[in-house]
Amino acid sequence: MTLHPLPHITIETGEKPAASVIWLHGLGADGHDFEPVVPQLGLPADIAVRFIFPHAPSMPVTLNGGYIMPAWYDIRQNDLGIEHDEAGIQASSAGINMLIEQEIMRGIPADRIILAGFSQGAAMALYTGLRKPSPLAGIIVLSGYLLMPEAAAEYSQASLNTPLFMAHGIDDPVVPFALGDSCARQLKAAGYQLEWHSYPMQHSVCPQEINHIGQWIAERLRAISRP
């Protein structure tokens, strides 16, 4: 199988970016979905960041009657905690890894790259980031969950040094709050550095959450800034 880079949108907050954020959208959306968030994050003007918003491939989604839509993997059950599409997950993860390698080739080291995602994209960010052989600057998991939790042995030892930001809506009817909360508890118990937030919302993002994300990204970039 020949792999090609995922099509994507690029936004740079300044000249000569010193860090990258690869942000994955949710089921049925595309890379444009989170473009408007960039100026809302309130990131420091003295640290230029390259934001990359990939488009997921289109595929039939079993849960939606086989309707073809942008998706990182197939969803076969209402219960998102079981029967994960391993082949689809691995294929999307390979594409995401290509974007990470692209950034490294452009001069951004792995420890200055943040993986972020919402819903399906959040699950993919977590799946990919936990398996990287070198620590990332961070992983942002918004309204997400843990894919293939039985495969925890695949997590790299280096990923324990990757900080995690996880957030979830208390009234989420799509990805139940309990699923996100269980994921956070499992990762904390495994020794991950994890910041957890919950908000009075459904399956979405809110201004307070965006503000917290911006603060967290700024802290990560400050912590790893180089002269």
Side-chain angles (χ1 to χ4, degrees):
M1 179 177 65
T2 302
L3 293 176
H4 301 282
L6 290 165
H8 56 276
I9 300 157
T10 301
I11 298 175
E12 296 182 355
T13 65
E15 296 182 0
K16 298 180 180 178
S20 298
V21 177
I22 300 172
W23 200 310
L24 312 174
H25 62 76
L27 177 67
D30 62 23
H32 293 285
D33 204 30
F34 280 91
E35 272 187 284
V37 166
V38 175
Q40 299 172 24
L41 293 171
L43 298 180
D46 61 326
I47 300 179
V49 181
R50 179 183 296 121
F51 284 85
I52 295 174
F53 298 100
H55 305 296
S58 292
M59 65 179 69
V61 176
T62 303
L63 190 63
N64 290 341
Y67 186 79
I68 297 174
M69 62 178 64
W72 298 107
Y73 50 87
D74 188 20
I75 298 178
R76 299 167 180 159
Q77 301 278 351
N78 281 312
D79 185 345
L80 298 176
I82 62 173
E83 197 183 351
H84 295 146
D85 172 20
E86 183 174 356
I89 291 165
Q90 290 178 350
S92 285
S93 184
I96 296 163
N97 275 315
M98 287 185 71
L99 289 176
I100 294 172
E101 291 305 312
Q102 171 184 280
E103 291 309 290
I104 292 173
M105 290 177 65
R106 295 166 84 177
I108 307 294
D111 64 359
R112 295 192 66 81
I113 298 173
I114 292 174
L115 270 184
F118 173 76
S119 192
Q120 252 206 351
M124 281 306 314
L126 195 56
Y127 177 90
T128 303
L130 294 181
R131 288 162 172 78
K132 295 301 293 179
S134 300
L136 298 174
I139 304 172
I140 299 172
V141 183
L142 310 177
S143 304
Y145 56 101
L146 199 58
L147 291 168
M148 298 168 58
E150 72 282 358
E154 296 177 4
Y155 303 166
S156 71
Q157 187 66 27
S159 70
L160 287 168
N161 295 317
T162 298
L164 308 179
F165 178 101
M166 297 186 66
H168 217 105
I170 295 171
D171 302 312
D172 192 332
V174 178
V175 180
F177 177 80
L179 198 56
D181 181 63
S182 172
C183 171
R185 291 176 184 274
Q186 182 175 334
L187 292 173
K188 277 187 176 180
Y192 284 90
Q193 312 163 47
L194 193 152
E195 183 174 320
W196 169 256
H197 294 267
S198 60
Y199 304 95
M201 63 180 185
Q202 297 190 0
H203 195 61
S204 60
V205 294
C206 63
Q208 184 183 21
E209 181 180 23
I210 292 171
N211 182 55
H212 288 155
I213 294 167
Q215 292 175 358
W216 188 85
I217 292 176
E219 288 172 3
R220 299 283 74 72
L221 299 182
R222 293 287 189 214
I224 58 179
S225 62
R226 295 188 176 94

